[in-house]
Amino acid sequence: MRRPYLSALLLVALATPAFAQGEVNVYSSRHYDTDDSLYKTFEESTGIKVNRIEDDANVLIERMTSEGELGAADVFITVDAGRIGRADLAGLLQPLNSDIIDEKVAPELRSPDDHWTAISTRARAIFYDKASVENPPQTYQDLADPKYEGMICTRSSSNVYNLSLLGSIIAHDGEDAARAWAEGLKNNLARDPQGGDTDQLRGIVSGECQIAIANHYYFARAFRSEVSGLTEGLDKIGVVFPNQETTGTHVNISAAGIAKYAPNVDNARAFIEYLLTPTAQELIANGNDEFPVVEGVEPAPEVTQLGSFRRDELNVGSFAMNGDVAQRIFNEVGYR
Ligand code: FE
């Protein structure tokens, strides 16, 4: 006798991450080569099985929203504070309640409501053609100076990295100054915004741009492995970590939080605490050439060689929440 409902149940069981004790369901928009060892080390040291669901952050946010109280997500991991900020605004996270996290991670790298924490950081830096730019911009504000007209390449305004950068300028200087900056930057562009951060750096090598804005790791990784159109021209490119005399360089984060309806809250907390151990920090930071958030752990040599800098100590939460205002301002000034 056929029992179709049983096979249907079995299918559901196989397709759904388990709710049982001894497991943790990680929804992550990060996927790097080192992630396998990262998860495996946690499983071996705790006996807690990690079920990974990896997808684009917005897809995961939609999934968690539609799953609601019946959701399987325990931990949500994403890159860029703007994205975890979106999840938080959507009510998808709960307090971390961890003394270990509070002790290990600087307060400005955690959300003020204790709903997420940084697990690594990335700097938004200025790159320039050493041969043609004698006085490169030393601040984000300089990028709007008419003397750089027609020289700058950066990606589209809808990209979350640019939204977070403008979000930080809004938080520091207010909306009017942020609008003037966005307009000045738009007027200095060498071409219509296009491509990813690597493409802006390639623009310097090809001569299409003299100045580019990009996250530091897109540059660092090209020293380690061949990036077409970039690695061969690395020695042409100089790097500036901006705003050293003023607010410090804008840093963004990879972040983790506990899902609002996490079925395995204790395991979720244990997993995030594990992400802050020296072993995990090394794997996380080296997986994408990012900076560790825990003291005593060194970044990769490709990153260290870029030089040290002072980071902006504005709470990442304050620009994570400014994404919508930032997009409106970019639209108002006609920055595509
Ligand atoms: Fe990136």
Side-chain angles (χ1 to χ4, degrees), residues 113-128:
D113 61 5
D114 191 38
H115 278 192
W116 43 265
T117 178
I119 54 172
S120 61
T121 65
R122 58 260 306 278
R124 198 126 185 89
I126 295 172
F127 298 88
Y128 64 97

Side-chain angles (χ1 to χ4, degrees), residues 82-316:
R83 293 203 180 102
I84 201 137
R86 275 178 214 160
D88 200 8
L89 274 177
L92 297 174
L93 304 174
Q94 63 169 296
L96 296 164
N97 287 328
S98 163
D99 293 341
I100 293 176
I101 296 172
D102 291 351
E103 196 182 298
K104 285 190 168 180
V105 183
E108 69 271 14
L109 297 177
R110 292 184 266 120
S111 84
D113 61 5
D114 191 38
H115 278 192
W116 43 265
T117 178
I119 54 172
S120 61
T121 65
R122 58 260 306 278
R124 198 126 185 89
I126 295 172
F127 298 88
Y128 64 97
D129 175 21
K130 288 192 271 194
S132 65
V133 185
E134 209 175 305
N135 296 304
Q138 294 300 315
T139 65
Y140 300 111
Q141 287 71 18
D142 284 350
L143 292 167
D145 190 317
K147 75 179 174 195
Y148 298 118
E149 192 183 339
M151 297 171 77
I152 302 174
C153 284
T154 182
R155 61 202 289 175
S156 77
S157 70
S158 61
N159 171 257
V160 73
Y161 302 157
N162 283 345
L163 291 174
S164 288
L165 174 59
L166 182 56
S168 78
I169 293 173
I170 295 167
H172 278 301
D173 304 333
E175 276 191 43
D176 290 344
R179 186 177 296 102
W181 179 79
E183 185 154 36
L185 174 60
K186 187 206 76 172
N187 293 339
N188 286 344
L189 293 183
R191 62 183 184 193
D192 286 340
Q194 56 191 261
D197 280 13
T198 303
D199 296 308
Q200 317 314 318
L201 299 171
R202 287 185 176 119
I204 296 180
V205 177
S206 70
E208 208 177 338
C209 337
Q210 286 69 54
I211 297 165
I213 309 170
N215 286 352
H216 80 277
Y217 54 85
Y218 291 99
F219 186 61
R221 76 160 61 131
F223 287 89
R224 183 197 312 243
S225 49
E226 178 71 26
V227 177
S228 70
L230 176 55
T231 298
E232 65 264 33
L234 281 175
D235 55 0
K236 287 179 67 173
I237 302 177
V239 55
V240 173
F241 287 106
N243 294 48
Q244 292 305 284
E245 307 294 319
T246 58
T247 49
T249 296
H250 171 69
V251 295
N252 214 303
I253 59 172
S254 285
I258 301 179
K260 173 83 179 271
Y261 301 110
N264 306 293
V265 174
D266 290 344
N267 292 352
R269 189 180 303 106
F271 182 78
I272 296 174
E273 289 172 352
Y274 157 77
L275 296 179
L276 301 171
T277 59
T279 312
Q281 280 286 291
E282 249 182 72
L283 288 166
I284 291 170
N286 293 344
N288 190 33
D289 291 307
E290 289 185 88
F291 299 99
V293 291
V294 169
E295 269 181 50
V297 183
E298 289 303 313
E302 290 81 4
V303 175
T304 314
Q305 54 136 6
L306 303 181
S308 57
F309 64 93
R310 186 171 66 84
R311 71 161 189 255
D312 189 348
E313 291 188 358
L314 178 74
N315 188 291
V316 290

